[in-house]
Amino acid sequence: MREENQSSTQGFILLGFTSQQKQEDVFFILFLFIYPITLIGNLLIILAIHSDVCLHNPMYFFLANLSFVDILFSSVTIPKMLANHILGTKAISFGGCLAQMDLMLALGNTDSYILAVMAYDRAVAISRPLHYTTIISLRCCVLLVVGSWVIGNANSLPHTLLTASLSFCGNHEVANFYCDITPLLKLSCSDIQFNVKMMYLGVVVFSVPLICITISYVRVFATVLRVPSTKGMLKAFSTCGSHLTVVSLYYGTVMGMYFRPLNSYNLKDAVITVMYTAVTPALNPFIYSLRNRDMKAALGKLFSQRISS
Ligand SMILES: *[C@@H]1O[C@H](CO)[C@@H](O)[C@H](O)[C@H]1NC(C)=O
């Protein structure tokens, strides 16, 4: 009991990316540039979609939701990292650390479920175009989005509560720039067997969307290949290309993050962590708006409206 009290008053130390101050400064400057880009880019996507009636359809509503999750996702870790660097501290409170861990898991899961919803939406649009509006109804959209949030939180809260009940009696140094579940478990002096088992279950829940995405794209490609017309193929690739790019970026970096030995953490891992926490959320708006004519038109309208008013 005394040990738990101690940890809840003591908080944790975020070691950062590397042990070298120079590299730490480079990461600080990188985040200082990327974070505003993430905020502005994703906000513009949401504003453009909501202000243009041409984009009032499920595909774009899901994209707006993805942008919203990305804004929150990068806001959980980056502002704290920037503030700590400026204030010259590495401290985070016990509660702050658990909140960070919980939100990162919840938003990461929600993100991947929304990516799956987007893939399902494309699969229905391409393989059953005549039934699209009846299958992906407004009610269905809301259900899919709410479902993504519920599953996201359901797959983070148990891990947070289990981590909160551990004792941290010795080392309080988290080997990352934010509180992540694996470095936290490593620090505990309690028996973490059950936590690790639950984590494997969490990985399974997290991987379900990847299976849905694969099935959706198999359907998309089967449909496109069955009726091989250049026009159909171009349409399929233009609507799915951006999404596939984002999916690969996201899952590529997640696997780089979590499929590695617990005790290795070097510059390469730091770069992957930066990709996962900062670069991917910043890139999504560009991937979608640079390749998409309707998105570009909506952004153009958004700016001309603002200028004329
Ligand atoms: C998320 O999706 C729902 C349902 O399609 C939509 O009503 C809502 O406006 C979207 N949220 C954002 C932030 O765009």
Side-chain angles (χ1 to χ4, degrees), residues 46 50 58 61-62 64-65 68 138 141-142 145:
I46 296 173
H50 282 270
F61 282 142
F62 295 143
N65 274 280
F68 181 62
L138 183 62
C141 285
V142 173
V145 168

Side-chain angles (χ1 to χ4, degrees), residues 34-35 37-39 41-42 70 74 277-287:
I34 294 178
Y35 186 56
I37 294 174
T38 309
L39 292 188
N42 284 296
D70 280 337
S74 36
T277 53
V279 178
T280 312
L283 282 183
N284 288 355
F286 295 100
I287 293 171

Side-chain angles (χ1 to χ4, degrees), residues 228-303:
S229 71
T230 16
K231 205 172 146 241
M233 271 194 204
L234 280 179
K235 185 171 168 265
F237 285 124
S238 75
T239 56
C240 299
S242 313
H243 183 253
L244 267 180
T245 312
V246 171
V247 166
S248 329
L249 251 176
Y250 183 76
Y251 279 97
T253 49
V254 167
M255 284 175 186
M257 277 278 290
Y258 292 101
F259 290 68
R260 67 175 180 226
L262 263 183
N263 39 13
S264 95
Y265 197 80
N266 51 35
L267 192 61
K268 194 181 103 243
D269 297 320
V271 170
I272 294 170
T273 310
V274 172
M275 286 293 293
Y276 175 66
T277 53
V279 178
T280 312
L283 282 183
N284 288 355
F286 295 100
I287 293 171
Y288 276 97
S289 47
L290 291 183
R291 301 194 35 165
N292 185 312
R293 214 165 358 99
D294 296 333
M295 216 38 244
K296 270 191 233 168
L299 282 169
K301 269 189 240 170
L302 188 70
F303 282 120

Side-chain angles (χ1 to χ4, degrees), residues 37-245:
I37 294 174
T38 309
L39 292 188
I40 295 167
N42 284 296
L43 258 177
L44 281 178
I45 292 265
I46 296 173
L47 280 176
I49 289 172
H50 282 270
S51 64
D52 188 342
V53 281
C54 300
L55 303 187
H56 285 186
N57 62 47
M59 182 171 107
Y60 289 106
F61 282 142
F62 295 143
L63 177 58
N65 274 280
L66 186 71
S67 282
F68 181 62
V69 175
D70 280 337
I71 289 176
L72 298 181
F73 186 76
S74 36
S75 301
V76 173
T77 56
I78 301 180
K80 175 69 181 162
M81 180 263 177
L82 295 177
N84 272 11
H85 192 94
I86 292 167
L87 300 172
T89 169
K90 289 174 180 286
I92 186 166
S93 69
F94 188 72
C97 186
L98 285 175
Q100 225 180 24
M101 184 198 124
D102 183 70
L103 289 171
M104 281 306 270
L105 290 178
L107 294 167
N109 272 287
T110 307
D111 219 327
S112 68
Y113 273 82
I114 288 179
L115 287 176
V117 165
M118 292 171 87
Y120 171 69
D121 170 74
R122 286 304 84 207
V124 176
I126 288 168
S127 66
R128 305 185 64 189
L130 300 179
H131 299 105
Y132 179 71
T133 43
T134 45
I135 299 175
I136 314 278
S137 60
L138 183 62
R139 201 168 139 256
C140 174
C141 285
V142 173
L143 217 68
L144 288 171
V145 168
V146 172
S148 301
W149 281 94
V150 170
I151 297 175
N153 282 286
N155 195 25
S156 72
L157 199 59
H159 303 287
T160 309
L161 296 177
L162 279 172
T163 308
S165 65
L166 296 175
S167 326
F168 298 90
C169 31
N171 187 357
H172 279 67
E173 296 177 332
V174 180
N176 204 334
F177 81 100
Y178 68 94
C179 283
D180 194 13
I181 184 161
T182 38
L184 269 182
L185 289 184
K186 250 182 75 188
L187 290 183
S188 171
C189 46
S190 319
D191 180 12
I192 59 165
Q193 261 183 18
F194 185 65
N195 301 60
V196 171
K197 275 193 195 124
M198 284 296 285
M199 228 177 86
Y200 288 139
L201 183 69
V203 171
V204 173
V205 176
F206 179 81
S207 308
V208 169
L210 191 55
I211 298 166
C212 300
I213 291 168
T214 311
I215 295 172
S216 297
Y217 276 106
V218 168
R219 281 194 66 182
V220 166
F221 288 122
T223 311
V224 171
L225 292 178
R226 201 161 24 163
V227 198
S229 71
T230 16
K231 205 172 146 241
M233 271 194 204
L234 280 179
K235 185 171 168 265
F237 285 124
S238 75
T239 56
C240 299
S242 313
H243 183 253
L244 267 180
T245 312

